[in-house]
């Protein structure tokens, strides 16, 4: 029996890589210094894995920015627009080209845009999307993989296992940059380069190579399936003396199982955390010789492995295949997990004993092997920790469970239907047609950020902090009144982050000091950890909303984060289904909505920025997910009276396949991002005849550019062509937190002017 790891976090346990990259970009350190930081991180990571007793240790899993971009550079997939950079860079320094592709290039009279970035499957990690052309050529362009294997081999010997994104997933995760071809057809041109790479690694002495093929666990067309077959058959024909391991993760193989086990490879890795049920099918189909890597330790979460559970899977596999054909592993690369739990000194020891980060997960992998070979003591220690979590009062709150178990249809339904509510809102708020509002946050200036930092460090008293936040809030309100916005916001100056702010006030959440996970490039996030039943011990936002409302006669929107978004951006419990946790959060937010209503707040916005990104990878699972996600939102929104207007906001608007579910959320008003698409994305709402009110963003807040009144007025006119004008709101695409005040003010003044124009020029029947 072997153990392996599929990938290790590369940011460094003090985020050294982030700091070094940012210094290099600012020309504060040179390339040699940057490379030195990278060398240290790699060597430390390898040593950690060696110390954990892992048999096959990944190399080439390091990246200065992103592993998909590394693959593009390796294969020479460099979009044409970077040729000027290519000719300017010094010999042997491809890293500037690499960073130009990742971040754009504005230097030496050049201005070249960055490549697109998108989410890595269903994670919060973002990769750089490969760009393909019809005549795409591939060649070995960059030698990093060979150099990295060499250093790994020096330190790890035969344990060093190079990792590479497999050819089919590489194509599928990319994008056609021109019409007239399908990227999957490039497989014939691509495979020979993979063969060369693998043969070179073999000559260097590699015993194994890991090819990541996450797309093998997705819905595949016939052609895509054939590409898998073709690619691996061709590779197997042309390489020998090196073992091929294909790694799948994040989903079950399902209808691709036969294809996967039939590939002429030496080992197949399957994710048994996401999909433990697939083991039976894989074992039933698996041919002689093929080794099976069992991903039993969760690479996506922070919890200690339940050894008993894992062992039952391992033993089942051993029974069928014999221990020799088994490899024990984490479910996926540990890239998605924080690095080292030992660095957390402030977590409640009882809870900490239930947790494991990357370093601890590696120990779990090798302990599982020892247990499978008969070491019972390790099993007992683990069992104690698991049992303590199962019965702890810190996790289990009967009242919370009962409330969720007792959900009724009525809990998730507003008292009256939308038309009745709309009438009440029109009478109550008496807003003009094309009412203007913003999405919630105003610029978080350095002053505001410093305020928070000082308060955290104890350099400011609560009174001092609060009065400074009050001052910022009052200023923002005065200014909104001055320019004539209709529905005001308080500005969210008191909030660090839209999830953290609520997590900190809810029971069942904890926060780490160093639990950083790479989000993209040098950006890292530190998600909250939901460890227990979620409840709301006290009001969370009432104090600030009430204060703000008291400063003005205009309606003041209350501002909350929705349950699905809180779930998506946290590490969640693995001891109950995600929808149960979401419903617990939903009730907590519902109580907050009701508290706001009681405090006199007439309009409450519940942001669900992450509903769409929670969509499962397999289409067959979409309906179930959408069903519970929409229900959770409806629970938060349905505790109030009809007269209260519920808004929701989403930072995107590609709703083509899910529009009926968006409508089912039954928010009185939805604000979405549409300005960059010139309202094209509204088409889904128009086709569906979306019944409720809607604010398609007219101001792209992702850029410092100030849109003109005419521009925004013409976007409004387009929107009014598609949807009933009386249902339209006027607002920016998203919150203004990342913007600066001058451009924000100028843009919002223009926006208000655009709304006025629309009121004069576009007729709105039915407005009271
Ligand atoms: N209310 C939040 C804000 O304005 C919404 C942010 C978001 O949608 N990401 O900042
Ligand atoms: Zn947004």
């Amino acid at each position: 029996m072997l153990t392996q790891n599929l990938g290790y976090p590369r940011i460094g346990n003090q985020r050294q890589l982030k700091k070094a990259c940012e210094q290099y970009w600012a020309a504060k350190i040179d390339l040699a210094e940057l490379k030195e930081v990278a060398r240290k991180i790699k060597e430390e990571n390898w040593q950690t894995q060696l110390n954990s007793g892992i048999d096959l240790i990944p190399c080439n899993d390091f990246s200065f920015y992103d592993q998909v971009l590394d693959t593009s550079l390796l294969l020479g997939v460099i979009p044409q627009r970077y040729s000027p950079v290519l000719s300017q860079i010094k010999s042997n320094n491809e890293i500037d080209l690499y960073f130009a592709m990742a971040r754009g290039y504005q230097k030496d009279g050049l201005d070249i845009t960055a490549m697109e970035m998108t989410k890595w499957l269903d994670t919060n990690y973002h990769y750089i999307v490969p760009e393909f052309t019809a005549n795409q050529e591939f060649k070995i362009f960059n030698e990093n993989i060979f150099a990295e294997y060499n250093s790994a081999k020096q330190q790890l010997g035969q344990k060093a296992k190079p990792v590479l994104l497999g050819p089919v997933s590489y194509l599928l995760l990319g994008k056609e940059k021109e019409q007239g071809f399908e990227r999957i057809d490039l497989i014939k041109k691509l495979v020979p380069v993979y063969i060369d790479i693998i043969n070179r690694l073999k000559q260097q002495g590699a015993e194994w190579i890991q090819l990541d093929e996450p797309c093998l666990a997705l819905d595949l067309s016939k052609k895509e399936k054939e590409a898998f077959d073709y690619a691996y058959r061709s590779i197997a024909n042309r390489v020998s003396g090196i073992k091929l391991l294909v790694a799948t993760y994040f989903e079950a193989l399902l209808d691709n199982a036969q294809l996967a086990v039939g590939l002429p490879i030496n080992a197949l890795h399957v994710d048994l955390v996401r999909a433990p049920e697939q083991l039976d099918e894989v074992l039933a189909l698996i041919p002689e010789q093929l080794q099976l890597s069992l991903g039993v330790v969760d690479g996506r979460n922070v919890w200690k492995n339940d050894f008993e559970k894992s062992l039952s899977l391992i033993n089942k596999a051993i029974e069928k295949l014999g221990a020799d054909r088994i490899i024990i592993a984490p479910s996926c690369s540990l890239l998605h997990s924080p690095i080292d739990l030992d660095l957390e000194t402030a977590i409640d020891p009882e809870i900490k004993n239930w947790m494991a980060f990357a370093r601890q997960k590696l120990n779990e992998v090798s302990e599982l092997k020892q247990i499978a070979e008969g070491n019972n003591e390790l099993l007992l220690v683990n069992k104690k920790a698991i049992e303590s979590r199962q019965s702890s009062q810190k996790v289990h709150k009967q009242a919370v469970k009962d409330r969720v178990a007792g959900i009724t249809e009525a809990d998730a339904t507003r008292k009256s239907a939308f038309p009745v509510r709309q009438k009440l809102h029109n009478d109550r708020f008496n807003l003009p047609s094309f009412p203007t509002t913003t999405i919630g946050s105003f610029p978080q200036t350095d002053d505001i950020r410093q305020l928070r930092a000082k308060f955290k460090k104890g350099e400011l008293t609560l009174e001092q902090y609060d009065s400074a936040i009050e001052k910022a809030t009052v200023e923002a309100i005065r200014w909104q009144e001055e320019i004539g916005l209709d529905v005001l916001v308080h500005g969210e100056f008191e909030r660090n982050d839209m999830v953290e702010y609520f997590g900190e006030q809810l029971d069942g959440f904890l926060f780490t000091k160093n639990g950083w996970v790479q989000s993209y490039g040098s950006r890292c996030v530190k998600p909250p950890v939901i460890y227990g039943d979620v409840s709301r011990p006290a009001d969370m936002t009432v104090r600030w909303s009430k204060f703000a409302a008291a400063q003005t006669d205009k309606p003041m929107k209350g501002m909350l984060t929705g349950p699905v978004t809180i779930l998506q951006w946290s590490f969640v419990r693995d001891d109950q289904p995600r929808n149960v946790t979401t419903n617990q959060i939903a009730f907590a937010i519902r109580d907050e909505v009701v508290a706001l209503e009681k405090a006199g707040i007439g309009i409450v916005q519940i942001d669900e920025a992450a509903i769409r990104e929670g969509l499962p990878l397999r289409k067959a699972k979409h309906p179930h997910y959408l069903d519970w996600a929409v229900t959770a939102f409806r629970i938060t929104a349905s505790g109030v009276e009809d007269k209260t207007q519920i808004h929701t906001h989403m930072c995107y608007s590609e709703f083509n396949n899910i529009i009926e579910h968006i409508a089912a959320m039954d928010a009185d008003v939805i604000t979405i991002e549409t300005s960059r698409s010139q309202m094209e994305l509204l088409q889904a709402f128009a086709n569906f005849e979306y019944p409720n009110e809607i604010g398609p963003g007219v101001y792209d807040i992702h850029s410092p550019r100030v849109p003109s009144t005419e521009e925004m007025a013409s976007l409004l006119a387009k929107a009014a062509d598609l949807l009933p004008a009386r249902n339209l709101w006027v607002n920016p695409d998203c919150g203004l937190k990342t913007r600066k005040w001058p451009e924000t003010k100028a843009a919002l003044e223009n926006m208000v002017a655009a709304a006025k124009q629309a009121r004069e020029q576009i007729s709105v029947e039915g407005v009271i």
Side-chain angles (χ1 to χ4, degrees):
M1 199 177 337
L2 289 176
T3 54
Q4 71 162 338
N5 184 26
L6 302 188
Y8 199 75
R10 58 236 178 173
I11 52 180
N13 56 15
Q14 305 294 329
R15 283 184 297 157
Q16 299 91 315
L17 185 64
K18 170 196 178 62
K19 288 163 200 165
C21 281
E22 287 172 3
Q23 282 177 320
Y24 179 74
W25 297 335
K28 287 186 183 136
I29 61 171
D30 63 20
L31 182 61
E33 289 167 294
L34 176 64
K35 285 195 165 160
E36 181 57 16
V37 172
R39 185 187 63 79
K40 278 202 186 127
I41 293 175
K42 286 188 237 183
E43 288 179 3
E44 231 179 87
N45 286 354
W46 288 332
Q47 197 55 45
T48 302
Q49 299 178 77
L50 211 47
N51 294 348
S52 310
I54 299 293
D55 296 318
L56 302 176
I57 298 173
C59 63
N60 198 46
D61 56 336
F62 179 83
S63 177
F64 280 104
Y65 204 95
D66 160 50
Q67 73 272 7
V68 183
L69 181 59
D70 294 346
T71 315
S72 290
L73 210 71
L74 165 66
L75 301 170
V77 181
I78 298 154
Q80 189 65 46
R81 65 182 181 283
Y82 298 103
S83 333
V85 187
L86 196 55
S87 58
Q88 272 186 25
I89 57 172
K90 293 149 249 154
S91 61
N92 241 346
N93 179 9
E94 281 152 10
I95 203 154
D96 287 337
L97 168 66
Y98 174 82
F99 285 139
M101 290 162 74
R103 312 176 61 239
Y105 193 85
Q106 278 186 313
K107 223 163 62 179
D108 319 320
L110 297 172
D111 185 359
I112 309 176
T113 56
M115 291 171 74
E116 204 177 297
M117 193 165 67
T118 196
K119 270 168 184 287
W120 176 244
L121 301 142
D122 61 355
T123 72
N124 277 329
Y125 174 79
H126 301 70
Y127 72 94
I128 303 281
V129 183
E131 296 178 13
F132 302 118
T133 54
N135 298 319
Q136 188 67 51
E137 298 292 333
F138 302 95
K139 60 162 193 264
I140 298 179
F141 177 84
N142 173 281
E143 302 273 324
N144 279 354
I145 186 170
F146 309 112
E148 190 163 323
Y149 173 70
N150 254 341
S151 352
K153 190 180 158 198
Q154 278 174 25
Q155 193 174 339
L156 307 170
Q158 280 316 96
K159 293 183 174 170
K161 172 194 61 173
V163 177
L164 184 55
L165 180 55
V168 183
S169 295
Y170 176 68
L171 289 177
L172 293 180
L173 293 167
K175 200 169 165 173
E176 289 94 358
K177 270 303 182 174
E178 55 194 25
Q179 297 195 325
F181 79 107
E182 282 179 60
R183 61 193 189 282
I184 195 67
D185 292 331
L186 298 172
I187 193 73
K188 294 220 157 88
K189 277 185 171 173
L190 177 57
V191 160
V193 186
Y194 269 81
I195 293 171
D196 288 349
I197 294 166
I198 297 169
N199 275 326
R200 271 182 68 178
L201 288 165
K202 188 225 137 184
Q203 275 156 22
Q204 285 179 276
E207 188 182 333
W208 282 93
I209 176 161
Q210 170 186 327
L211 294 159
D212 280 11
E213 290 284 11
C215 294
L216 196 43
L218 304 185
D219 298 323
L220 294 175
S221 67
K222 184 161 170 275
K223 200 180 211 182
E224 290 162 351
K225 287 184 186 173
E226 283 165 6
F228 271 108
D229 207 63
Y230 168 83
Y232 286 90
R233 252 162 243 298
S234 312
I235 292 171
N237 280 339
R238 300 272 309 281
V239 304
S240 60
I242 180 165
K243 295 183 198 159
L244 304 175
L245 165 89
V246 165
T248 66
Y249 34 81
F250 304 155
E251 251 304 348
L253 290 168
L254 297 174
D255 53 323
N256 304 330
Q258 186 66 61
L259 168 68
V261 301
L263 296 175
I265 54 178
N266 303 83
L268 176 70
H269 172 85
V270 289
D271 184 339
L272 297 180
V273 173
R274 238 345 142 68
E277 72 286 352
Q278 70 174 325
L279 181 61
D280 289 334
E281 183 169 13
V282 171
L283 287 178
L285 294 174
I286 195 165
E288 293 275 326
Q289 263 85 41
L290 186 61
Q291 286 175 253
L292 191 60
S293 168
L294 310 173
V296 287
V297 171
D298 193 351
R300 298 277 299 269
N301 215 329
V302 294
W303 303 110
K304 195 170 260 185
N305 191 255
D306 181 342
F307 282 177
E308 230 169 29
K309 253 195 205 161
S310 299
L311 219 55
S312 77
L313 296 167
I314 294 169
N315 285 335
K316 198 188 259 183
I318 292 179
E319 217 168 90
K320 172 88 201 273
L321 308 179
D324 292 353
R325 283 170 65 193
I326 304 295
I327 307 172
I328 300 176
S331 60
C332 60
S333 166
L334 297 174
L335 175 67
H336 312 289
S337 148
I339 299 181
D340 189 358
L341 185 64
D342 288 350
L343 299 176
E344 300 301 324
T345 48
I347 300 179
D348 174 343
E350 184 185 345
I351 300 175
K352 191 172 161 184
N353 186 39
W354 308 331
M355 299 172 72
F357 290 178
R359 204 162 75 84
Q360 290 70 33
K361 287 171 190 293
L362 289 174
N363 291 333
E364 292 182 338
V365 167
S366 64
E367 287 184 3
L368 277 167
K369 174 177 161 180
Q370 294 168 49
I371 298 170
E373 290 172 346
N375 183 336
N376 260 319
E377 223 162 282
L378 288 169
L379 183 60
L380 289 178
V381 180
N382 176 269
K383 212 171 160 179
K384 262 199 174 154
I386 300 296
E387 282 170 359
S388 115
R389 184 175 166 208
Q390 278 164 356
S391 59
S392 171
Q393 303 240 322
K394 291 188 173 137
V395 175
H396 303 282
K397 306 249 158 46
Q398 200 51 48
V400 178
K401 291 188 204 300
D402 291 347
R403 194 171 179 201
V404 166
I407 293 179
T408 62
E409 191 67 36
D411 289 329
T413 312
R414 296 286 302 263
K415 297 192 170 63
S416 307
F418 174 71
V420 177
R421 303 192 314 255
Q422 189 177 34
K423 171 96 179 55
L424 291 174
H425 303 157
N426 286 343
D427 293 345
R428 177 174 183 189
F429 303 115
N430 197 24
L431 296 172
S433 58
F434 297 100
T436 53
T437 190
T438 60
I439 305 303
S441 59
F442 277 125
Q444 290 258 336
T445 56
D446 285 345
D447 284 357
I448 298 283
R449 266 192 284 267
Q450 265 175 25
L451 223 57
R452 209 172 5 255
K454 279 191 189 155
F455 176 55
K456 262 202 169 157
K457 276 192 227 144
E459 290 168 22
L460 287 179
T461 65
L462 180 63
E463 288 73 38
Q464 287 169 323
Y465 174 72
D466 276 3
S467 83
I469 296 285
E470 281 183 0
K471 192 168 156 266
T473 307
V474 172
E475 278 168 20
I477 293 170
R478 282 294 88 77
W479 176 77
Q480 292 173 78
E481 286 179 325
E482 259 162 48
I483 70 160
L485 282 155
D486 300 307
V487 172
L488 312 195
V489 298
H490 72 284
E492 301 182 25
F493 300 110
E494 78 289 7
R495 299 184 191 176
N496 34 3
D497 169 274
M498 65 188 280
V499 169
E500 195 173 309
Y501 183 75
F502 292 92
E504 278 173 349
Q505 301 185 76
L506 289 167
D507 280 351
F509 284 74
L510 70 84
F511 292 83
T512 64
K513 284 222 165 72
N514 296 288
W516 296 101
V517 180
Q518 190 174 16
S519 165
Y520 67 91
S522 66
R523 291 282 187 107
C524 303
V525 293
K526 197 151 62 70
V529 175
I530 306 177
Y531 66 87
D533 289 333
V534 176
S535 57
R536 170 184 166 278
D539 291 351
M540 302 186 281
T541 63
V542 176
R543 182 236 182 271
W544 286 109
S545 284
K546 226 172 130 175
F547 169 81
Q551 311 301 316
T552 178
D553 295 332
K554 297 248 173 142
M556 175 65 59
K557 251 196 298 195
M559 204 57 65
L560 304 172
T561 302
V564 180
T565 302
I566 292 180
L567 182 93
Q568 269 314 115
W569 293 348
S570 303
F571 285 115
V572 298
R573 293 172 64 173
D574 61 353
D575 58 346
Q576 68 184 18
R578 292 168 76 82
N579 58 334
V580 174
T581 304
T582 311
N583 282 340
Q584 293 183 355
I585 306 169
F587 275 115
I589 302 293
R590 172 193 178 97
D591 293 348
E592 184 71 14
V593 180
V594 171
L596 284 169
E597 179 182 64
K598 279 217 179 81
I601 306 295
I603 305 180
V604 180
Q605 177 175 312
I606 307 162
D607 291 325
E608 276 294 24
I611 276 210
R612 205 195 48 179
E613 70 182 54
L615 271 181
L617 293 170
R618 291 275 198 161
K619 283 216 177 65
K621 290 187 174 171
H622 287 192
H624 174 65
Y625 164 78
L626 286 163
D627 190 49
W628 65 252
V630 169
T631 302
F633 179 85
R634 293 175 59 120
I635 291 170
T636 64
S638 299
V640 288
E641 301 297 324
D642 287 338
K643 63 171 188 195
T644 297
Q645 188 176 53
I646 299 290
H647 291 217
T648 189
H649 163 72
M650 295 171 190
C651 315
Y652 50 86
S653 60
E654 290 138 52
F655 291 119
N656 281 319
N657 301 318
I658 60 168
I659 184 73
E660 61 188 294
H661 303 277
I662 299 301
M665 290 168 73
D666 196 25
D668 296 307
V669 182
I670 179 173
T671 56
I672 56 174
E673 173 182 326
T674 36
S675 72
R676 267 183 300 184
S677 81
Q678 295 292 309
M679 300 287 144
E680 264 165 39
L681 295 169
L682 272 190
Q683 198 62 53
F685 287 83
N687 296 346
F688 185 78
E689 299 186 21
Y690 183 78
N692 299 14
E693 296 181 21
I694 176 168
V698 289
Y699 158 25
D700 175 11
I701 61 90
H702 300 91
S703 129
R705 196 175 157 267
V706 176
S708 67
T709 303
E710 291 65 39
E711 227 177 295
M712 290 189 274
S714 91
L715 288 178
L716 282 176
K718 278 193 186 172
D721 278 344
L722 289 164
L723 293 162
R726 71 190 137 80
N727 283 349
L728 288 176
W729 284 64
V730 182
N731 46 262
D733 270 341
C734 192
L736 294 156
K737 189 170 155 174
T738 54
R739 294 270 59 90
K740 303 249 180 299
W741 269 115
E743 76 231 22
T744 298
K745 289 186 169 172
L748 290 180
E749 279 171 17
N750 290 351
M751 189 186 88
V752 171
K756 284 197 180 126
Q757 253 185 47
R759 280 169 209 156
E760 285 157 17
Q761 294 168 3
I762 303 170
S763 83
V764 187
E765 338 89 294
V767 149
I768 301 128

